[in-house]
């Protein structure tokens, strides 16, 4: 192929709408196929069963042009990883690995691979995959120690370095990773799956380049512009003004002191500015979150209150600005511990931003969802196994519809680990996995129910929990009642929301997740809906 095929043409404006739609769908299908390759090729249940991973395509300047609809907290933060790689003079055949939260990452278990796309020896873009690895070292199995006070306790920290250099594997980096994690074979297998996903992207983009020539590169700009225009049109239709809200996190794993999160959301024509001034200073524990995590949560909210059918890419984010005070819990200084920020603080940022916008767009904002990922980690210190899971709960009731029961809410979009897979892969036995009756807040529309998952640990192990909404309930809205708070138990005894416990073989761990808040006055609930609630066992008999 001649060099013209890798150079954008001067005729970008002539791409007709039909061709643009075809190209947009082809690019999104490449990102989606990357995800399929990663999930099918992974070894760990956390990726192959729970699908705790995300994939996306970027252009040569580091703008996201297409993403698969995977994990919200991953996708909004990916551009920061690509920005870091761009500073490293990437060349054809390079694959960079990064997980450093202070330089392109979010928290250490989320490992990102950024590969150049250069089908004709010119870099025209980047394939990016991010996956939550079940262990990356640190002071406890699963690399999510609830009491961590420095990032050094949380595992192996990788700045953006070449995992593959011009097509040649960098064995020194592989050796470094293997020496610092508890399950090295599993890590290697999952990294191979990520590399395979990125390689599939280069192969498919090469095929599209053969088919479309320079028009493909023109389409990179065109799809971004298309999304930006549609988001701006949506924002223009919203009422201008500044909307405020505040909420708390329930301690940082070191103390139980409340951690305030405050936000002011300003809609001004076709732009929206989200400012977290007033949010708490960074904390001693691990609920600090890099600003990229806050951006992910805000981007998710903006997509939720506008048209979610708008193609997700860089254009969606251009009208959005996010700021937080330096040294705060949403923009911490190194070496702050941050592993809980990605999973728990991100949820609260989403909650508080939605709460602020409830005044502006009350017909688009649900009651409070469970507000936590209910992180459960069980592993042994010898490295024989590490189980990690986020557990679903109640989705808040919507303005015209009940909430959903037992689902992942907000910044995670993972599946559960099937009982059969869990008991096959780990020395664990599931005793109970069920909805929690009456855990959803009452209202004209009822909040979704939380879950209860009880597991017997069949060997000596360490159990770690990172959870929220154990003392502050998911809020009802417009007169609806709050959802139920969650609860954690070991051998039937309550344990803190954030804790790490060494248990003996035969111990049981129970996680009871929060329900969603109700929407509207309970007195206005339809009588047939109440009869259905009782018939379906969603409420306890009174």
């Amino acid at each position: 192929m001649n060099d013209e095929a890798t150079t954008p043409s001067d005729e970008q404006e002539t791409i007709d709408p039909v061709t643009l739609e075809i190209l947009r769908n082809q690019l999104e299908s490449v990102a989606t196929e990357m995800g399929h390759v990663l999930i099918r090729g992974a070894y760990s249940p956390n990726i192959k069963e729970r699908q705790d991973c995300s994939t996306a395509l970027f252009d040569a300047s580091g703008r996201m042009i297409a993403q698969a609809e995977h994990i919200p907290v991953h996708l909004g933060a990916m551009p920061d990883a690509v920005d870091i790689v761009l500073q490293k003079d990437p060349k054809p055949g390079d694959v960079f690995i990064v997980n450093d939260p202070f330089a392109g990452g979010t928290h250490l278990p989320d490992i990102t691979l950024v590969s150049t796309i250069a089908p004709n020896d010119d870099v025209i873009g980047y394939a990016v995959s991010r996956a939550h690895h079940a262990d990356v070292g640190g002071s406890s199995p699963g690399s999510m120690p609830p009491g961590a006070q420095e990032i050094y306790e949380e595992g192996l920290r990788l700045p953006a370095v070449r995992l593959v250099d011009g097509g040649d594997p960098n064995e020194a980096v592989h050796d470094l990773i293997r020496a610092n994690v508890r399950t090295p074979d599993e890590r290697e297998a999952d990294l191979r799956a990520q590399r395979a996903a990125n390689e599939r992207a280069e192969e498919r983009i090469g095929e599209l380049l053969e088919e479309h020539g320079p028009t493909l590169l023109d389409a990179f700009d065109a799809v971004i512009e298309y999304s930006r225009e549609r988001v701006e049109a949506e924002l223009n239709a919203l009422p201008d003004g500044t909307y405020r809200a505040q909420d708390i996190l329930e301690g940082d794993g070191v103390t139980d002191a409340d951690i305030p999160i405050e936000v002011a959301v300003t809609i001004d024509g076709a732009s929206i500015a989200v400012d977290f001034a007033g949010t708490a200073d960074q904390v001693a524990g691990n609920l600090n979150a890099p600003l990229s995590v806050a951006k992910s949560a805000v981007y998710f909210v903006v997509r939720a209150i506008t048209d979610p059918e708008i193609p997700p890419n860089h254009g969606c984010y251009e009208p959005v600005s996010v700021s937080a005070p330096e040294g705060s819990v949403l923009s911490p200084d190194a070496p702050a511990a941050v592993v809980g920020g990605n999973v728990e603080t991100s949820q609260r940022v989403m909650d508080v931003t939605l709460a602020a916008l409830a005044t502006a767009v009350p017909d688009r904002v649900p009651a409070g969802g469970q507000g936590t990922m209910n992180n459960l980690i069980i592993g042994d210190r010898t490295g024989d196994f590490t189980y990690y899971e986020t557990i679903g709960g109640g989705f808040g009731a919507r303005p015209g519809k009940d909430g959903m029961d037992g689902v992942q809410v907000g910044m995670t979009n993972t599946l559960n680990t099937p009982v059969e897979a869990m008991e096959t892969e780990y020395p664990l036995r599931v005793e109970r996995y069920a909805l929690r009756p009456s855990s959803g807040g009452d209202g004209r529309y009822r909040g979704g129910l939380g879950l209860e998952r009880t597991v017997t640990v069949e060997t000596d192990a360490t159990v770690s929990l990172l959870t929220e909404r154990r003392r502050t309930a998911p809020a009802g809205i417009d007169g609806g009642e709050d959802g139920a708070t969650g609860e954690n138990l070991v051998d039937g005894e309550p344990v803190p929301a954030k804790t790490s416990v060494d248990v003996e073989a035969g111990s049981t761990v129970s996680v009871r997740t929060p329900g969603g808040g109700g929407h509207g006055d309970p007195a206005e609930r339809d009588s047939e809906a109440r009869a259905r609630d009782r018939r379906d066992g969603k409420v306890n008999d009174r």
Side-chain angles (χ1 to χ4, degrees):
M1 184 181 296
N2 60 41
D3 290 340
E4 292 179 359
T6 60
T7 304
S9 75
D10 295 326
E11 305 296 330
Q12 177 184 319
E13 66 276 9
T14 66
I15 299 179
D16 64 271
V18 173
T19 300
L20 179 59
E21 185 68 6
I22 290 170
L23 285 163
R24 179 183 69 79
N25 278 280
Q26 288 179 318
L27 291 169
E28 290 182 6
S29 73
V30 173
T32 300
E33 186 177 355
M34 289 174 66
H36 293 328
V37 171
L38 172 51
I39 291 162
R40 288 199 299 266
Y43 183 82
S44 68
N46 193 53
I47 300 173
K48 70 180 181 182
E49 300 287 358
R50 294 188 57 246
Q51 301 182 15
D52 195 348
C53 57
S54 298
T55 52
L57 296 173
F58 288 73
D59 70 5
S61 62
R63 300 178 303 168
M64 182 187 288
I65 55 175
Q67 67 181 51
E69 296 288 9
H70 288 148
I71 313 299
V73 77
H74 288 175
L75 293 163
M78 275 187 178
D80 288 350
V82 178
D83 286 345
I84 292 294
V85 168
L86 288 174
Q87 300 172 24
K88 304 291 184 177
D89 191 26
K91 58 183 183 295
D94 282 352
V95 180
F96 285 82
I97 185 170
V98 60
N99 74 346
D100 185 352
F102 300 101
T106 49
H107 68 173
L108 297 181
D110 282 347
I111 294 179
T112 303
L113 297 192
V114 180
S115 303
T116 55
I117 297 176
N120 297 300
D121 295 327
D122 289 319
V123 176
I124 62 171
Y126 299 89
V128 184
S129 59
R130 176 168 286 178
H132 184 116
H133 288 248
D135 187 275
V136 291
S139 63
S140 68
S143 311
M144 299 183 71
Q149 297 188 52
E150 292 182 316
I151 196 169
Y152 311 117
E153 301 173 64
E154 297 179 336
L156 178 63
R157 182 176 168 193
L158 295 164
V161 295
R162 285 178 171 85
L163 186 68
V164 179
D165 188 350
D168 297 322
N170 187 340
E171 297 299 341
V173 175
H174 285 275
D175 291 343
L176 177 68
I177 294 170
R178 291 184 62 88
N180 283 277
V181 301
R182 292 179 178 82
T183 47
D185 291 341
E186 189 176 86
R187 298 290 66 72
E188 283 278 11
D190 287 347
L191 287 172
R192 284 198 301 270
Q194 285 185 254
R195 282 183 57 189
N198 290 11
E199 288 166 2
R200 180 63 59 87
E202 183 172 47
E203 177 185 343
R204 292 289 184 252
I205 292 296
E207 293 169 357
L208 292 178
L209 200 57
E210 289 276 1
E211 178 181 355
H212 298 289
T215 303
L216 177 67
L217 303 190
D218 293 339
F220 291 178
D221 290 323
V223 296
I224 289 171
E225 181 67 10
Y226 173 72
S227 292
R228 183 187 62 78
E229 289 178 352
R230 286 190 59 183
V231 168
E232 288 182 343
E234 290 276 330
L235 293 174
N236 264 320
L238 302 181
D240 285 354
T242 297
Y243 308 93
R244 302 178 185 276
Q246 58 183 1
D247 206 331
I248 63 162
L249 293 161
E250 302 168 336
D252 63 356
V254 176
T255 77
D256 289 333
D258 290 346
I259 304 167
I261 306 290
E262 297 187 13
V263 70
V265 181
T266 300
I267 301 173
D268 183 8
S271 67
I272 183 167
V274 182
D275 183 6
F276 290 96
T279 290
D281 291 341
Q282 68 184 70
V283 293
N286 67 17
L287 289 195
N288 303 294
L291 187 60
S292 59
V293 170
K295 290 193 291 186
S296 290
V298 170
Y299 295 156
F300 173 80
V301 169
V302 171
R303 284 184 54 75
I305 65 159
T306 57
D307 183 354
E309 297 301 317
I310 296 172
N313 58 46
H314 180 80
C316 294
Y317 309 147
E318 281 190 330
V320 184
S321 64
V322 182
S323 59
E326 291 187 10
S328 72
V329 74
L330 297 182
S331 184
D333 297 323
V338 298
V339 73
N342 190 61
V343 289
E344 295 302 295
T345 307
S346 66
Q347 295 283 73
R348 197 63 67 251
V349 171
M350 181 203 70
D351 285 346
V352 76
T353 307
L354 276 173
L357 287 165
T359 304
V361 284
D363 58 333
R364 304 186 190 184
V365 175
Q370 68 162 342
T372 176
M373 294 192 196
N374 301 296
N375 302 271
L376 172 62
I377 308 101
I378 306 174
D380 70 346
R381 296 188 180 277
T382 64
D384 285 345
F385 80 100
T386 303
Y387 156 81
Y388 170 67
E389 182 146 33
T390 60
I391 303 175
F395 191 98
R398 292 156 284 183
K401 201 171 185 178
D402 287 350
M404 294 178 283
D405 304 322
V407 295
Q408 300 286 358
V409 176
M411 299 309 294
T412 183
N413 191 32
T414 56
L415 303 180
N416 67 351
T417 305
V419 172
E420 299 84 355
M422 188 170 168
E423 294 184 340
T424 299
E425 297 279 355
Y426 306 111
L428 305 173
R429 185 174 71 252
V430 179
E431 306 289 354
R432 179 175 175 79
Y433 191 30
L435 296 172
R436 296 177 65 198
S438 295
S439 55
D442 199 2
R444 183 178 183 186
Y445 300 102
R446 181 178 295 283
L449 301 183
L451 292 170
E452 179 176 348
R453 193 162 174 104
T454 298
V455 178
T456 294
V457 186
E458 297 181 326
T459 185
D460 294 353
T462 299
V463 174
S464 296
L465 289 152
L466 271 174
T467 62
E468 277 282 318
R469 296 297 192 208
R470 267 45 186 178
R471 65 173 187 255
T472 57
I477 196 171
D478 195 26
E481 294 182 359
D482 294 346
T485 55
E487 187 178 19
N488 306 329
L489 304 100
V490 173
D491 291 328
E493 296 297 322
V495 296
K498 302 167 185 67
T499 191
S500 188
V501 182
D502 290 330
V503 300
E504 297 180 350
S507 297
T508 61
V509 181
S510 297
V511 179
R512 298 172 181 168
T513 69
H519 198 299
D521 186 347
E524 298 177 0
R525 186 161 179 78
D526 179 74
S527 59
E528 176 54 34
R530 290 209 176 278
R532 187 171 61 248
D533 291 341
R534 292 190 294 273
R535 186 170 60 249
D536 294 343
K538 290 194 173 184
V539 294
N540 294 318
D541 292 333
R542 295 181 178 178

